[in-house]
Amino acid sequence: HLALQYLDFSNPDAAGQVEALREKRLLTREQADSVDVGQLEALLVSPLGEEIRGGKNVLREYPFTVLIPAMELDEDAGDDQVLLQGVVDCCFETEEGLTVVDFKSDRVFGEEVARRAERYRPQLTAYGTALERVLEKKVIRRTLYFLTPGETVNL
């Protein structure tokens, strides 16, 4: 995840990027050696990678803190307020609105990808709610990108 934080989507040379991060001491040698460069390369050339490259106002590792009505997360929660904190891996803007992206390193394949994605639905819903409040823009898509199989799932 650390390499993803610094990944330049306009540069298809994932191996070169990882080495440059190591040279800049943003990654240790051990961290750089553990990066699956093939997974990063697949992301960079994927349709999602292309969308991120073409997106406006791309935010990476975006921290947020927002107070929201609990009913927005659980309709049975009552009138309480909830302090929601987190860090969004990536968010970008299109003419239609915002897309929230969460990168996942789960080692899942085939039908398990969709099942695992459902487990993350509440997290992506919360991220979308928070970003709409903080950025005052409509979230139109919540997306997971599973690095191991190189699959994108829209929730």
Side-chain angles (χ1 to χ4, degrees), residues 28-89:
T28 65
R29 166 135 337 261
E30 293 78 20
Q31 289 169 326
D33 289 345
S34 71
V35 172
D36 187 326
V37 173
Q39 290 179 356
L40 296 183
E41 288 172 345
L43 170 59
L44 289 170
V45 300
S46 73
L48 180 60
E50 185 175 324
E51 287 181 71
I52 294 170
R53 265 192 307 284
K56 298 184 299 184
N57 303 321
V58 177
L59 302 173
R60 309 282 292 283
E61 295 298 317
Y62 184 76
F64 65 85
T65 302
V66 64
L67 191 63
I68 63 171
M71 287 187 358
E72 288 190 23
L73 299 175
D74 179 359
E75 58 190 40
D76 298 326
D79 295 331
D80 292 335
Q81 296 279 315
V82 174
L83 182 66
L84 189 58
Q85 291 182 294
V87 177
V88 174
D89 288 344

Side-chain angles (χ1 to χ4, degrees), residues 48 99-102 104 108 110-121 124 141-147 149-155:
L48 180 60
T99 294
V100 179
V101 180
D102 198 42
K104 297 297 182 189
V108 292
E111 293 177 11
E112 183 60 27
V113 172
R115 283 194 294 273
R116 186 68 57 92
E118 281 304 315
R119 290 187 191 171
Y120 293 116
R121 184 180 293 277
L124 269 286
R141 187 170 67 158
R142 293 157 182 86
T143 300
L144 295 168
Y145 183 84
F146 288 91
L147 290 155
E151 290 188 39
T152 300
V153 178
N154 294 309
L155 297 175

